[in-house]
Amino acid sequence: TEHIVNDTEYVVRVFIRGKLGFQTRVGGAVAAATPVAGTPLGELPDGESCAKIRLVEGGTSVNFLVAKHNYENTGKTAVLRLDLYDKRAWSAGADTYASSSIDAWLNNDYLSQMDSRVQGLITPISIPYLPGAGTYAAHTILRKVFLPSAGEIGITASSGAEVDGVAWTCLSTSKVACYGGVATEWYTRTPAKLSSGYDRVWIITAGGAGGYRPCTNTFGSRPTFTLPSDMLFSLTPNPDGSYSPIL
């Protein structure tokens, strides 16, 4: 029995079988394929010892954490940017994530920065969120790119914060994220449960603790999205330990 060899092109001829047998007069259809060796994203570790993957963003390679396999029972893997992308306001003054400026930016300007081949793999999924403006029961919303929720980050000290997602163990030891090499406060997508005002959202402080601040403040953005669990990555890691996609 001949074994298929990776990185070797194979030519396959397909024939149609009809009532009179195989239709060989037309020669069949021919296609070529080259199998490659790789590790499916779903087999890279998440959790406390989560792997890093390297993706091209705005023409530059950046690292993401393998945050959660089978995110929200989608069969997809959530990946979280290792460092903060930039610093920006969450919204002009309301704690409603679905109409926030940061949500619009994530799903338009930011998404367009990703390599076009990866963009095609980022599809809308249903994520848990708290609507805000006095409504703090868990709902869902469809998004391609999103911020992690307070619940996913593991902030459970406030009433309501723990209902918008299951905690990711990849951040169980440290929630600190950097911008320009400096530990910086960063936004979640979760509004703070208030009886009035409705202008505070949960952030992670520079020291990795949870707190809530006005949504008009300028804090770090940490884009998150999902990728197919069967997306292939290199067998051998890069010098920094990250894995590159095979596209």
Side-chain angles (χ1 to χ4, degrees):
T1 302
E2 182 179 351
H3 295 284
I4 293 177
V5 179
N6 289 315
D7 301 315
T8 301
E9 185 178 64
Y10 291 85
V11 177
V12 179
R13 188 180 299 274
V14 180
F15 297 97
I16 299 172
R17 184 175 184 176
K19 290 183 178 180
L20 302 178
F22 289 103
Q23 307 300 301
T24 58
R25 261 173 40 182
V26 295
V30 177
T34 304
V36 295
T39 302
L41 176 58
E43 294 182 9
L44 293 175
D46 60 358
E48 291 186 12
S49 58
C50 64
K52 294 181 295 185
I53 61 171
R54 179 179 293 181
L55 301 174
V56 175
E57 173 195 272
T60 302
S61 294
V62 297
N63 286 340
F64 288 75
L65 298 177
V66 179
K68 180 69 173 176
H69 292 314
N70 194 27
Y71 176 68
E72 289 298 314
N73 299 312
T74 60
K76 298 177 179 291
T77 296
V79 298
L80 170 71
R81 202 177 195 274
L82 177 63
D83 294 318
L84 305 177
Y85 178 87
D86 66 1
K87 296 171 65 177
R88 61 177 54 238
W90 200 87
S91 78
D95 67 353
T96 50
Y97 183 73
S99 59
S100 66
S101 57
I102 201 166
D103 175 56
W105 167 75
L106 285 167
N107 287 277
N108 291 280
D109 293 347
Y110 173 76
L111 180 59
S112 69
Q113 295 295 307
M114 300 305 298
D115 178 276
S116 60
R117 293 166 296 180
V118 173
Q119 279 190 55
L121 299 174
I122 302 173
T123 57
I125 62 164
S126 181
I127 63 172
Y129 89 116
L130 307 181
T135 301
Y136 301 104
H139 288 61
T140 58
I141 190 171
L142 285 173
R143 288 293 184 268
K144 287 186 176 182
V145 189
F146 47 94
L147 296 179
S149 71
E152 289 164 350
I153 298 306
I155 304 301
T156 59
S158 71
S159 177
E162 68 272 12
V163 301
D164 59 349
V166 177
W168 297 341
T169 54
C170 67
L171 298 177
S172 62
T173 56
S174 176
K175 300 172 177 57
V176 174
C178 295
Y179 178 64
V182 178
T184 302
E185 299 93 344
W186 53 282
Y187 275 120
T188 75
R189 67 174 182 266
T190 305
K193 188 174 182 179
L194 303 174
S195 57
S196 63
Y198 309 140
D199 66 346
R200 302 290 197 272
V201 297
W202 279 91
I203 71 158
I204 305 302
T205 68
Y212 53 86
R213 305 285 189 273
C215 56
T216 53
N217 285 5
T218 299
F219 294 126
S221 63
R222 201 169 184 186
T224 305
F225 47 85
T226 62
L227 292 170
S229 60
D230 59 356
M231 181 178 177
L232 289 181
F233 285 80
S234 56
L235 292 174
T236 304
N238 300 306
D240 66 351
S242 65
Y243 293 83
S244 295
I246 300 173
L247 298 170

